[in-house]
Amino acid sequence: MYLQNLTIEEKCDFLYNIWKYIESKGFDDLSLSLSEYYIFTSAYAISKAETSQLTEEEALAIFNKNYTNYLLDENSEKFINEFIDEYNTLMNWNLPYSKYMNKIKKLHDKLEYNNIVNAMKYINVEENTNLRDYVLNYGITKELLIKLHHILTYRMDDLFQNSGIHDYFPYMSWELRQWDHINVWWHAVWLAKDIEDKIEIIRQKSLNIQNIFDVFEIHGIMYEAHIFNNGNKRISRIIETLLIKIYNFAPSIPISYGYFIYKDFYICKLVDLVLESKDFKTWADFSYTSALLSSLEMLFHIAQWIM
């Protein structure tokens, strides 16, 4: 196949042209502007990393209802109350166990996505210029991390800690992690007593960012530190996205450290999808957007570093 013989730089150029085509077409099928699409897909990418079961239609309904509201204002609280009403109704239905678990997990995923959208709105530094100035002057501080974690986990423990979801692990909003007995896949997690020291390292590094790899390093330190009881992948991605937006490394599409690590896989997958679909617009199918378009944006922004 012709594209298999291309160099990595040629593949990046090829994929860049595809993205520019999609960008020129807009996202009329979702009725979103490009900036809205960024927030929509970024939030969805982060929620899918948490094994969310939301469909595109469900996520879009939440996004459209939430997006115009300001963070935790009266309207946003009213929207949260809709989740609470749905939860209370569900508790009174006396459903068979399997149906109950399906519905409670779906409600969990909706609120999780809603909170991520709120966090993405908060870190939209084009509008929240005070946040941009704060980070440039003070870096990623303990206070900012706690605030963003609270936004990401808002009312989750209230509704779901005793809901019967078997793998639910409390977030403990407003608190740093207090104990050491925590299992995080293949990562070595720092002791709880060292977390504040790690936050200071993160803060110092965030004040001396030269390129996108400095942002990736901060992501890695945050996840290994496991600053909070739960929700650490989310807060790592939110901070990563915030820094990438502030320094304009990839302004259009969400990217992440993980996409860089597996860049070769994503390049091959992107090329295969384009060749199979024959239609650039179809290729931008939502189910691939959060990971694959993220990879694309990152790849052509850092092509000089990938050989």
Side-chain angles (χ1 to χ4, degrees):
M1 189 177 296
Y2 168 71
L3 285 174
Q4 291 178 339
N5 298 322
L6 295 180
T7 65
I8 198 80
E9 290 82 2
E10 288 170 333
K11 287 179 180 178
C12 286
D13 288 340
F14 175 73
L15 298 173
Y16 173 81
N17 290 328
I18 293 170
W19 167 247
K20 297 310 290 184
Y21 173 87
I22 296 171
E23 187 178 37
S24 70
K25 289 292 186 181
F27 300 96
D28 295 337
D29 53 329
L30 297 176
S31 301
L32 301 177
S33 68
L34 188 59
S35 62
E36 291 172 335
Y37 188 75
Y38 176 93
I39 296 175
F40 177 51
T41 55
S42 296
Y44 194 81
I46 295 169
S47 73
K48 293 303 275 188
E50 299 298 319
T51 66
S52 171
Q53 298 175 10
L54 283 190
T55 65
E56 174 188 3
E57 292 75 18
E58 290 167 334
L60 186 60
I62 293 170
F63 181 86
N64 284 335
K65 197 170 211 177
N66 179 317
Y67 181 73
T68 57
N69 297 324
Y70 290 103
L71 181 67
L72 304 185
D73 69 359
E74 180 183 353
N75 291 328
S76 187
E77 275 295 298
K78 195 177 299 182
F79 187 38
I80 291 290
N81 286 336
E82 291 182 20
F83 286 104
I84 295 172
D85 290 343
E86 188 174 345
Y87 174 85
N88 290 334
T89 300
L90 186 56
M91 291 298 108
N92 292 327
W93 273 357
N94 196 27
L95 292 171
Y97 179 76
S98 60
K99 286 189 176 181
Y100 164 78
M101 290 308 302
N102 287 337
K103 288 184 177 295
I104 198 70
K105 183 64 170 64
K106 179 69 75 171
L107 183 60
H108 170 280
D109 293 349
K110 287 179 179 180
L111 182 54
E112 177 184 84
Y113 178 75
N114 175 77
N115 290 345
I116 295 170
V117 170
N118 271 338
M120 288 299 300
K121 288 190 302 180
Y122 185 77
I123 66 168
N124 183 11
V125 290
E126 286 80 10
E127 295 186 10
N128 191 352
T129 55
N130 288 337
L131 178 59
R132 180 199 298 272
D133 295 341
Y134 179 90
V135 173
L136 290 174
N137 287 319
Y138 304 106
I140 301 300
T141 63
K142 171 184 171 181
E143 291 74 21
L144 178 59
L145 288 169
I146 289 174
K147 181 179 181 66
L148 284 169
H149 183 259
H150 172 66
I151 295 170
L152 286 165
T153 62
Y154 188 65
R155 301 300 293 272
M156 296 292 286
D157 284 349
D158 293 348
L159 294 185
F160 302 110
Q161 188 167 353
N162 299 309
S163 66
I165 296 176
H166 76 279
D167 56 352
Y168 186 85
F169 199 58
Y171 293 97
M172 297 188 176
S173 187
W174 295 117
E175 295 182 17
L176 301 180
R177 177 167 59 86
Q178 299 295 319
W179 53 77
D180 297 325
H181 301 292
I182 187 166
N183 182 22
V184 189
W185 195 30
W186 52 271
H187 280 279
V189 176
W190 297 98
L191 296 176
K193 68 180 180 62
D194 296 327
I195 287 176
E196 299 233 15
D197 292 338
K198 295 302 174 185
I199 291 175
E200 179 58 21
I201 291 172
I202 290 164
R203 191 186 74 82
Q204 292 290 343
K205 286 184 176 294
S206 68
L207 289 170
N208 189 33
I209 290 176
Q210 303 298 319
N211 57 51
I212 201 165
F213 293 104
D214 294 330
V215 178
F216 290 164
E217 183 182 5
I218 288 171
H219 181 146
I221 293 171
M222 284 187 62
Y223 194 66
E224 287 182 356
H226 239 63
I227 295 167
F228 299 101
N229 199 52
N230 196 4
N232 289 282
K233 282 202 293 287
R234 266 164 281 177
I235 189 67
S236 299
R237 284 291 304 271
I238 287 290
I239 292 298
E240 181 180 57
T241 303
L242 170 61
L243 292 172
I244 286 168
K245 287 176 74 65
I246 287 175
Y247 289 95
N248 205 36
F249 289 135
S252 300
I253 290 295
I255 71 174
S256 185
Y257 174 71
Y259 301 140
F260 172 72
I261 294 298
Y262 299 108
K263 58 185 178 295
D264 293 337
F265 165 79
Y266 286 122
I267 289 175
C268 295
K269 189 67 174 175
L270 281 161
V271 171
D272 289 345
L273 282 169
V274 172
L275 292 176
E276 289 170 7
S277 69
K278 312 292 186 185
D279 177 356
F280 292 158
K281 192 64 177 177
T282 301
W283 169 76
D285 180 84
F286 187 85
S287 61
Y288 296 105
T289 299
S290 60
L292 298 179
L293 289 186
S294 302
S295 312
L296 169 57
E297 175 80 3
M298 180 189 64
L299 287 168
F300 69 71
H301 273 83
I302 62 172
Q304 65 267 37
W305 287 296
I306 19 182
M307 305 303 293

